[in-house]
């Protein structure tokens, strides 16, 4: 690695209380796989607390915690049964408060994962709702009688033909009342009815409770699904599918932006900002399927609904045949997609920048080349982190962690994968082919334990881990990389330092450059007199970019050890950054 840190040591991005997040780096923690402190094989809050030194040294600004609320764990915590308590699996509220206080003392913020499109079926709200058709909370969820002329429980009696994202019908019959409830995900994740103002008020009150406790914001799970099409009509049944496509009828429904604007007013307005001398809370929304032409509706400055959204265009590349039937990406395809989003939000709105998270395979396995492990891990990081937007690092990404190894379906833990496997095999698909798709794209790839060292179970637990450790942990681990200037970890530290120091990275314009070869992703950032040139070979071939000579530019960073000019040949997955 080449890093000329002296070029930026005297600089500072200098952002204020209202836009601090534009110069920040977020680190996502999936608690059950981060660090176990008590030997039960599941990560916990005390485990996170024990690793704050590591996170502080890495340089990240925000810790986003995947759900730690009380939950039956049908979907690893994304099925919440009590929004105001900590699940004993992860610890206690006192331990959460200790984590929050220690993180704040180190200058790091804590953002909670908020899941309010649906709750758990074990939440008291749903228990009341299902108790009687006349219960005051009946309309807090979507209840519908069987289709006319059909008996409850009969195939085709479901209120509409929507399929669940986790396979099967999106409706489950409650035999006690003879009606069906809607669950876009698992049957234990009933959808909340946001049309009911009491639901919205209860959600707002809960969010304010956490912010009053000191939490610094929220990442909102599938927030673009909270408004459904009126009447819940049938969806189109695509060839080869058993169920109708409900997604177009639940994504970005007619009242979505009304609901988000109301949330802004009721929860976020009046908290922090320059006038109050404190940072505003962060509002991030996951929005699968959101299109470029709609993105400004979420994060445009005048609307102020959310600070940014997680869009899925780039992580959905190559999945036209289905999530578990990926095709190889074409040269330049990833760069083209990232550039399109940069250009769409160039003047208004804000991008979240990510390749990894708890729902995606590991970036170096999905978009890189494990045969060029170090180079592709750092090249992808370079291409992403210096774009306009807020970067998100998923735990272990800064170590170059790769996809897991799943020898059989018995090694899988994810409810989505297991339900898909059962359904596909029952429909006659080859079990080996189905498993191969899950190995490539399954969510369990992101959920293997963080690889802390080369000891048994990668230093994650003294017990039996809840999911298998990736076998390469003896070579790929934090202990081997921290302090090594040529490691993936050190490269991430450099990228974080560059964002903190250079205002052009936080606020500069983006211009895609034609490098004469689609395998090369080249772009320029500019702000006033400052220029940053990024040149990355996103391929396993050597290639020479056709760029201007770069007069007046000095190389700031590179994942090779020698200084080169912008037009010099790039080795496989080589990345270079120039400052001028």
């Amino acid at each position: 690695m080449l890093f000329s840190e002296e070029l930026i040591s005297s600089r500072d991005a200098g952002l204020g209380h209202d836009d601090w997040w534009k110069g920040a780096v977020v680190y996502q923690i999936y608690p059950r796989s981060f660090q176990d402190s008590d030997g039960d094989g599941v990560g916990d809050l005390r485990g996170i607390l024990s690793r704050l030194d590591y996170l502080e040294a890495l340089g990240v600004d925000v810790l986003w915690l995947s759900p730690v609320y009380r939950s039956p764990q049908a979907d690893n915590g994304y099925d919440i049964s009590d929004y105001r308590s900590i699940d004993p699996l992860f610890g206690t509220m006192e331990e959460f408060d200790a984590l929050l206080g220690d993180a704040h003392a180190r200058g790091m913020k804590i953002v909670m994962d908020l899941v309010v499109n649906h709750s758990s079926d074990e939440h008291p709200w749903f228990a009341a709702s299902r108790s009687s058709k006349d219960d005051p909370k009946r309309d807090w969820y979507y209840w519908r009688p069987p289709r006319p002329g059909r008996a409850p429980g009969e195939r085709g009696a479901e209120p509409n033909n929507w399929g669940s994202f986790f396979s099967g019908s999106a409706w489950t019959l409650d035999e006690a009342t003879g009606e069906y409830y809607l669950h876009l995900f698992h049957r234990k994740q009933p959808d909340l009815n946001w049309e009911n103002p009491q639901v919205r008020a209860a959600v707002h009150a809960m969010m304010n409770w956490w912010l009053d406790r000191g939490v610094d914001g929220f990442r909102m799970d599938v927030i673009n699904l909270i408004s459904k099409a009126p009447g819940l009509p049938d969806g189109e049944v695509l060839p080869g599918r058993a169920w109708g496509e409900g997604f177009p009828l639940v994504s970005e429904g007619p009242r979505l932006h009304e609901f988000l604007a109301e949330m802004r007013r009721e929860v976020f307005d009046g908290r922090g900002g320059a006038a109050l001398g404190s940072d505003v809370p962060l509002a991030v929304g996951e929005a699968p399927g959101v299109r470029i032409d709609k993105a400004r509706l979420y994060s445009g400055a005048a609307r102020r609904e959310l600070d940014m959204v997680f869009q899925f265009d780039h992580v959905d590349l190559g999945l036209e045949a289905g999530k578990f039937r990926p095709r190889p990406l074409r040269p330049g395809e990833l760069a083209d997609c990232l550039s399109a989003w940069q250009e769409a939000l160039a003047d208004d709105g804000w991008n979240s920048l990510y390749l990894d998270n708890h729902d995606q395979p590991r970036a170096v396995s999905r978009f890189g080349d494990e045969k060029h492990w170090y180079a592709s891990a750092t090249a992808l990081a370079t291409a992403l982190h210096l774009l306009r937007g807020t970067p998100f690092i998923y735990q272990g990404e800064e170590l170059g962690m790769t996809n897991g190894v799943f020898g059989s379906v018995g090694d899988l833990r994810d409810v989505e994968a297991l339900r898909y496997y059962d359904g596909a095999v029952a429909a006659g698909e080859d079990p080996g082919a189905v498993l191969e798709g899950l190995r490539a794209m399954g969510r369990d790839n992101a959920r293997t334990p963080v690889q802390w060292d080369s000891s048994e179970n990668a230093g994650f637990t003294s017990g039996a881990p809840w999911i298998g450790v990736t076998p390469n942990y003896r070579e790929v681990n934090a202990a081997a990389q921290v302090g090594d200037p040529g490691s993936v970890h050190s490269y991430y530290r450099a990228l974080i330092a560059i964002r903190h120091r250079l205002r052009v990275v936080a606020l500069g314009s983006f211009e895609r450059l034609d490098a004469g070869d689609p395998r090369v992703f080249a772009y320029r950032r500019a702000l006033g007199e400052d220029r940053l040139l990024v040149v990355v070979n996103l391929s396993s071939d050597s290639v020479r970019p056709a760029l201007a000579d770069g007069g007046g530019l000095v190389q700031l960073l590179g994942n090779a050890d020698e200084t080169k000019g912008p037009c010099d040949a790039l080795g496989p997955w080589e990345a270079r950054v120039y400052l001028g």
Side-chain angles (χ1 to χ4, degrees):
M1 180 179 84
L2 184 151
F3 180 31
S4 301
E5 190 171 7
E6 68 278 2
L7 296 176
I8 63 170
S9 60
S10 62
R11 302 197 190 193
D12 191 289
L15 299 177
H17 293 304
D18 293 292
D19 60 355
W20 63 268
W21 39 269
K22 293 183 178 180
V25 178
V26 182
Y27 187 96
Q28 183 190 356
I29 294 176
Y30 193 71
R32 66 168 46 233
S33 298
F34 189 69
Q35 178 68 70
D36 174 25
S37 71
D38 59 10
D40 68 353
V42 178
D44 47 45
L45 294 174
R46 283 191 294 156
I48 299 170
L49 188 62
S50 73
R51 296 293 183 179
L52 288 185
D53 284 347
Y54 170 86
L55 295 167
E56 182 182 14
L58 181 61
V60 295
D61 306 280
V62 181
L63 306 181
W64 153 28
L65 302 185
S66 285
V68 292
Y69 315 93
R70 187 176 293 272
S71 166
Q73 303 294 323
D75 186 23
N76 286 2
Y78 284 83
D79 50 315
I80 299 168
S81 57
D82 186 345
Y83 288 99
R84 300 193 190 198
S85 71
I86 301 298
D87 196 289
L89 183 70
F90 301 119
T92 66
M93 186 62 77
E94 290 73 24
E95 289 169 342
F96 176 84
D97 288 340
L99 173 62
L100 182 65
D102 201 346
H104 284 171
R106 298 165 184 265
M108 293 184 287
K109 302 178 188 296
I110 297 281
V111 164
M112 298 289 279
D113 213 326
L114 185 69
V115 189
V116 288
N117 173 71
H118 48 268
S119 74
S120 167
D121 67 340
E122 297 184 30
H123 194 290
W125 295 346
F126 189 74
S129 182
R130 80 186 310 172
S131 67
S132 165
K133 293 181 182 179
D134 299 322
D135 189 89
K137 285 188 169 59
R138 185 68 170 182
D139 194 39
W140 281 45
Y141 295 84
Y142 289 91
W143 291 96
R144 296 293 184 272
R147 284 183 187 263
R150 297 294 183 99
E154 179 184 341
R155 178 62 189 267
E158 296 86 1
N160 68 26
N161 68 355
W162 295 353
S164 162
F165 297 131
F166 287 174
S167 304
S169 174
W171 296 91
T172 288
L173 175 66
D174 176 63
E175 294 185 0
T177 61
E179 290 192 333
Y180 291 81
Y181 65 87
L182 175 68
H183 55 90
L184 295 179
F185 295 88
H186 193 278
R187 63 177 177 79
K188 289 184 68 63
Q189 294 172 292
D191 279 51
L192 284 158
N193 178 14
W194 277 67
E195 299 291 327
N196 187 329
Q198 293 178 335
V199 170
R200 303 197 302 275
V203 170
H204 299 158
M206 175 267 295
M207 295 173 72
N208 278 308
W209 184 86
W210 280 107
L211 291 176
D212 289 345
R213 199 174 191 95
V215 164
D216 301 290
F218 300 97
R219 176 267 186 189
M220 305 171 204
D221 190 65
V222 293
I223 199 66
N224 63 322
L225 306 187
I226 60 176
S227 173
K228 277 72 168 172
L232 309 183
D234 281 344
E236 179 185 4
V237 181
L238 300 176
R241 302 287 179 87
W243 300 97
E245 288 292 309
F247 186 78
L249 302 167
V250 300
S251 174
E252 301 184 281
R255 299 188 68 189
L256 170 64
H257 294 288
E258 173 192 343
F259 294 158
L260 292 179
E262 180 185 51
M263 180 189 291
R264 170 63 70 173
R265 293 192 304 272
E266 298 297 323
V267 177
F268 295 98
D269 279 356
R271 291 185 179 272
L276 296 176
S278 60
D279 290 350
V280 296
L282 186 63
V284 182
E286 181 192 36
V290 65
R291 300 272 74 87
I292 282 182
D293 60 345
K294 300 270 186 78
R296 290 189 184 186
L297 298 179
Y298 294 87
S299 62
R303 298 174 64 92
R304 296 182 60 251
E305 293 177 7
L306 301 171
D307 296 320
M308 67 195 83
V309 295
F310 278 174
Q311 54 85 13
F312 280 55
D313 278 3
H314 61 305
V315 294
D316 285 345
L317 291 171
L319 304 182
E320 298 86 357
K323 177 177 179 178
F324 301 114
R325 295 182 176 88
R327 63 163 173 79
L329 298 190
R330 296 182 292 271
E333 196 169 2
L334 176 61
D336 288 347
C337 185
L338 294 174
S339 297
W341 277 88
Q342 289 287 296
E343 291 160 1
L345 300 182
D347 301 319
D348 193 21
W350 196 253
N351 276 291
S352 64
L353 307 173
Y354 77 98
L355 293 174
D356 268 5
N357 65 34
H358 65 288
D359 284 336
Q360 300 296 330
R362 289 290 181 176
V364 70
S365 300
R366 168 83 162 98
F367 297 110
D369 183 346
E370 291 184 23
K371 295 178 182 177
H372 297 277
W373 167 74
Y374 168 81
S376 64
T378 51
L380 289 166
T382 307
L384 186 79
H385 275 246
L386 299 177
L387 293 170
R388 180 182 172 90
T390 299
F392 287 71
I393 300 171
Y394 179 67
Q395 61 183 41
E397 182 182 353
E398 78 282 6
L399 304 175
M401 281 182 61
T402 61
N403 275 358
V405 175
F406 306 101
S408 70
V409 68
D411 295 329
L412 301 175
R413 297 292 181 270
D414 178 33
V415 62
E416 178 190 36
L418 294 171
R419 286 178 62 87
Y420 177 84
Y421 181 87
D422 289 345
V425 172
E429 294 189 39
D430 175 62
V434 176
L435 184 57
E436 194 60 32
L438 292 170
R439 286 172 177 148
M441 294 299 299
R443 302 192 299 179
D444 280 328
N445 285 302
R447 301 176 182 186
T448 59
V450 172
Q451 296 165 201
W452 294 109
D453 57 42
S454 61
S455 66
E456 187 177 5
N457 297 323
F460 164 69
T461 181
S462 60
W466 73 275
I467 189 172
V469 178
T470 302
N472 64 8
Y473 73 90
R474 296 193 186 279
E475 297 79 38
V476 179
N477 63 70
Q481 293 192 33
V482 172
D484 176 0
S487 68
V488 177
H489 179 272
S490 291
Y491 198 91
Y492 268 81
R493 290 188 71 239
L495 287 170
I496 293 168
I498 290 170
R499 177 164 290 270
H500 288 165
R501 294 290 185 180
L502 295 183
R503 195 172 176 85
V504 66
V505 175
L507 301 178
S509 62
F510 168 87
E511 179 188 2
R512 176 82 180 271
L513 302 176
D514 183 1
D517 191 306
R519 294 170 293 183
V520 177
F521 186 20
Y523 59 87
R524 180 186 293 119
R525 304 291 310 282
L527 183 69
E529 299 299 317
D530 290 336
R531 298 289 184 272
L532 194 80
L533 174 65
V534 179
V535 186
V536 185
N537 179 8
L538 294 179
S539 82
S540 299
D541 306 313
S542 295
V543 60
R544 181 178 293 276
L547 294 167
D549 61 10
L553 296 175
V554 179
Q555 187 170 349
L556 171 62
L557 181 68
N559 61 359
D561 293 331
E562 55 184 315
T563 303
K564 299 180 182 178
C567 295
D568 289 342
L570 292 159
W573 298 97
E574 186 174 351
R576 300 197 289 261
V577 181
Y578 301 89
L579 183 63

